[in-house]
């Protein structure tokens, strides 16, 4: 099959490279000439484990191409994917669909023969209808079907999520389009990955419902964590025990500083707006958004309270800045709120993150970015573990203690053992663990 992928952001690049690895011929298109040049030189603009090698392999085997010129790729494509950004529209929480609609117009002018136009970007219910109307209006003779095929890729694990998904969702009632989609995902089909074929609007909603439900799960366990602290219980044991109930499931029950990233904050907000506009208020989703926003701010108070209520003139070291490990993504990362509030309270912030310090430099000011964890904690009054990178899980604790000014550790990801840390002489707190 021939695939054109519009947008070489996170989703477009990973999907394009994986489809090429399945054996299809894929052309990734982007208006940003700098980005395309870099990709043609083997430079990958995002941090995603395994992606560089996957791209290099498929470029070498002549199945993956990058270009700014959409014409040939779209003309010859069996399927054109729209994988452009849908950021939060300024001011009101709705998704900004201008890039999606611009792509639809561009596609309309170029398609030849039966073409499946696939929205991979996360788009509100009804966007597929609008994409179809735009193409129909721009090119009344076009022979096409618009399909919704949402992505469920986690940053840092995107390639395995693409190649070994729990399910693939295909939203269309056009039989011909279903055939093309099945052919595209054939390697997964052979692996017995469930392919859920449904109507387009349902498919669009599935993506938001999935992300919102995961955000609910995280936020729920975060509130239970607060309760655990107040009543002498341990949230990790609660998570494990409730997660063993198959109806609940053990994943996404890690308490922490609140969810961040490019998807959950944006998608919960957009879903909330959809609910409101459609006359079906989503009170649970609304509460999750509010609780999570407040939580990120509350984490700095937790640090300040632990240090006796006054951090002015103190040096606080943060390990991890990205919203989660294995990414350099800083979008809506809890570290942003934590740093701002600690600085406001008069603390000096030193920080180390294995991948995101360049990105962090754009969203936080006056932070001393360090060369490694031990450099960050030099003479620190406290260490805050914000992101659970593997390399922070087995720090040389004697060295940590000797390097810090005072052995105060606030572990927001529960990666160390409470009793062990106290035995080693640290003043240690974590999230939701009274013991
Ligand atoms: C998410 C979805 O998982 C993915 O399916 C979707 O397509 C895009 O959004 P991503 O944002 O990359 O992926 O990261 P994810 O691993 O889901 O984590 C999101 C946030 O939740 C992070 O801030 C993470 O730290 C937090 N989280 C996750 C928790 O606090 N606790 C958990 O148990 C799980």
């Amino acid at each position: 099959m021939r695939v054109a992928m519009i947008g070489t952001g996170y989703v477009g690049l990973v999907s394009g490279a994986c489809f090429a690895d399945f054996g299809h011929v894929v052309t990734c298109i982007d208006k940003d000439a700098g980005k395309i040049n870099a990709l043609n030189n083997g430079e990958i603009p995002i941090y995603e484990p395994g992606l560089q090698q996957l791209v290099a392999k498929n470029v070498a085997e002549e199945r993956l191409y990058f270009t700014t010129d959409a014409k040939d790729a779209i003309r010859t494509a069996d399927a054109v994917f729209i994988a452009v950004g849908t950021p939060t529209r300024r001011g009101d929480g709705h998704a900004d669909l201008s890039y999606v609609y611009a792509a639809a117009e561009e596609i309309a002018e170029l398609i030849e023969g039966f073409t499946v136009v696939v929205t991979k970007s996360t788009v509100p219910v009804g966007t597929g209808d609008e994409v179809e109307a735009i193409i129909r209006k721009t090119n009344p003779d076009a022979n096409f079907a618009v399909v919704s095929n949402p992505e469920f890729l986690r940053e840092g694990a995107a390639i395995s999520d693409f190649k070994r998904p729990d399910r693939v969702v295909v939203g269309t009632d056009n039989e011909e389009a279903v055939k093309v989609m099945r052919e595209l995902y054939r390697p997964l089909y052979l692996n017995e990955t469930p392919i859920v074929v449904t109507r387009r609007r349902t498919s669009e909603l599935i993506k938001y419902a999935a992300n919102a439900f995961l955000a609910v799960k995280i936020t729920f366990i975060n509130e239970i964590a607060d309760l655990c602290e107040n009543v002498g219980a341990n949230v990790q044991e609660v998570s494990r025990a409730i997660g063993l109930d198959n109806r609940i499931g053990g994943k996404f029950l890690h308490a922490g500083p609140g969810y961040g990233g490019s998807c959950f904050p944006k998608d919960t907000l957009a879903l909330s707006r959809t609910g409101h506009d459609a006359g079906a208020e989503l009170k649970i989703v609304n509460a999750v958004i509010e609780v999570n926003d407040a939580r990120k701010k509350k984490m700095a108070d937790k640090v300040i309270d632990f240090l006796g209520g006054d951090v002015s003139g103190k040096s606080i070291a943060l390990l991890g800045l990205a919203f989660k490990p294995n990414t350099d993504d800083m979008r809506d990362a809890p570290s942003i709120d934590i740093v701002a509030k600690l600085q406001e309270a008069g603390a000096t912030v030193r920080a180390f993150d294995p991948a995101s310090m360049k990105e962090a430099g754009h969203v936080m000011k006056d932070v001393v970015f360090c060369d490694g964890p031990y450099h960050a904690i030099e003479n620190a009054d406290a260490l805050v573990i914000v992101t659970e990178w593997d390399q922070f899980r087995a720090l040389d604790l004697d060295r940590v203690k000797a390097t810090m000014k005072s052995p105060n550790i606030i572990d927001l990801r529960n990666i160390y053992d409470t009793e062990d840390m106290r035995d080693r002489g640290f003043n240690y707190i974590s999230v939701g663990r009274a013991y």
Side-chain angles (χ1 to χ4, degrees):
M1 295 247 129
R2 299 189 74 90
V3 173
M5 184 70 65
I6 302 186
T8 57
Y10 199 84
V11 171
L13 202 50
V14 171
S15 306
C18 288
F19 275 134
D21 211 47
F22 282 174
H24 305 301
V25 176
V26 180
T27 305
C28 293
I29 302 155
D30 206 294
K31 290 208 157 30
D32 183 340
K35 215 169 177 186
I36 292 296
N37 275 341
L39 283 163
N40 278 324
N41 289 327
E43 292 160 29
I44 306 294
I46 54 170
Y47 179 95
E48 180 62 34
L51 187 58
Q52 179 139 28
Q53 296 86 320
L54 196 72
V55 168
K57 173 177 165 233
N58 284 282
V59 167
E61 291 170 9
E62 300 185 346
R63 284 190 303 268
L64 183 59
Y65 300 89
F66 299 102
T67 179
T68 52
D69 181 7
K71 270 189 232 92
D72 287 344
I74 292 182
R75 241 184 239 140
T76 56
D78 298 293
V80 182
F81 281 76
I82 301 178
V84 296
T86 53
T88 299
R89 198 162 72 193
R90 240 171 249 280
D92 67 359
H94 285 91
D96 177 353
L97 297 171
S98 51
Y99 303 108
V100 173
Y101 295 152
E105 276 180 32
E106 185 173 20
I107 293 166
E109 285 161 8
L110 297 171
I111 46 177
E112 285 179 11
F114 178 68
T115 310
V116 180
V117 178
V118 191
T119 47
K120 195 82 173 133
S121 306
T122 299
V123 292
V125 180
T127 305
D129 300 356
E130 188 59 29
V131 168
E132 185 175 313
I134 291 171
I135 300 178
R136 178 72 59 225
K137 190 165 161 237
T138 316
N139 181 353
D141 298 329
N143 181 12
F144 69 101
V146 176
V147 174
S148 158
N149 173 224
E151 52 84 16
F152 301 99
L153 309 175
R154 281 166 307 163
E155 292 186 16
I159 293 170
S160 67
D161 281 353
F162 193 97
K163 291 188 160 185
R164 281 177 289 283
D166 292 330
R167 77 314 205 178
V168 172
V169 177
V170 172
T172 178
D173 45 20
N174 181 308
E175 299 274 329
E176 203 54 32
V178 173
K179 270 196 212 143
V180 171
M181 296 305 287
R182 282 199 196 279
E183 187 56 30
L184 279 172
Y185 283 106
R186 207 156 70 92
L188 302 182
Y189 196 50
L190 296 176
N191 277 346
E192 297 184 356
T193 301
I195 308 236
V196 180
V197 179
T198 176
R199 292 207 182 166
R200 197 162 60 203
R201 283 182 168 243
T202 305
S203 168
E204 288 167 340
L205 187 55
I206 286 170
K207 167 64 196 243
Y208 282 100
N211 270 1
F213 191 79
L214 294 171
V216 169
K217 242 183 143 179
I218 297 167
T219 308
F220 174 80
I221 206 64
N222 282 340
E223 284 200 321
I224 294 292
D226 291 348
L227 179 59
C228 285
E229 287 177 15
N230 292 358
V231 299
N234 180 313
V235 74
Q236 278 178 320
E237 292 173 15
V238 173
S239 292
R240 172 146 199 277
I242 64 171
L244 286 169
D245 183 331
N246 284 333
R247 293 170 301 175
I248 297 174
K251 292 187 178 155
F252 278 68
L253 285 178
H254 295 291
Y259 64 77
S262 63
C263 288
F264 288 173
K266 164 176 85 73
D267 294 348
T268 44
L269 215 51
L271 182 61
S272 160
R273 299 317 303 165
T274 300
H276 179 77
D277 295 349
E281 290 296 340
L282 299 168
K283 289 190 198 158
I284 295 176
V285 176
N286 294 343
V288 163
I289 295 167
E290 191 188 322
V291 170
N292 192 66
D293 282 350
R295 182 171 193 83
K296 292 199 262 183
K297 298 193 170 67
K298 232 168 65 180
M299 288 300 113
D301 294 330
K302 187 177 171 97
V303 175
I304 296 168
D305 290 348
F306 188 58
L307 296 178
D310 181 10
V311 293
S312 71
K314 296 210 161 131
S315 169
I316 300 180
L318 262 59
L319 291 190
L321 295 168
F323 81 98
K324 66 172 201 173
N326 296 321
T327 177
D328 61 354
D329 202 330
M330 285 297 297
R331 281 177 283 182
D332 282 306
S335 63
I336 299 173
D337 289 312
I338 297 172
V339 166
K341 213 155 176 205
L342 290 177
Q343 288 176 332
E344 209 179 282
T348 304
V349 176
R350 298 167 65 83
F352 171 71
D353 185 287
S356 74
M357 291 196 288
K358 190 164 156 235
E359 288 298 316
H362 302 307
V363 290
M364 43 184 68
K365 275 197 229 130
D366 301 325
V367 171
V368 184
F369 293 112
C370 299
D371 297 333
Y374 301 102
H375 182 212
I377 61 173
E378 262 169 33
N379 285 319
D381 293 285
L383 156 60
V384 188
I385 299 171
V386 184
T387 315
E388 69 279 31
W389 285 89
D390 277 346
Q391 61 172 273
F392 303 148
R393 290 177 187 271
L395 293 170
D396 175 345
L397 294 169
D398 292 334
R399 186 171 168 199
V400 169
K401 200 151 163 240
T403 311
M404 294 179 72
K405 189 158 144 205
S406 315
N408 298 311
I409 297 189
I410 300 97
D411 176 0
L412 300 181
R413 297 289 184 172
N414 292 347
I415 60 177
Y416 285 99
D417 183 76
T418 305
E419 221 174 271
D420 179 52
M421 293 303 272
R422 290 183 187 158
D423 287 349
R424 287 170 183 272
F426 286 101
N427 302 319
Y428 175 86
I429 51 162
S430 54
V431 176
R433 297 190 301 179
Y435 57 91

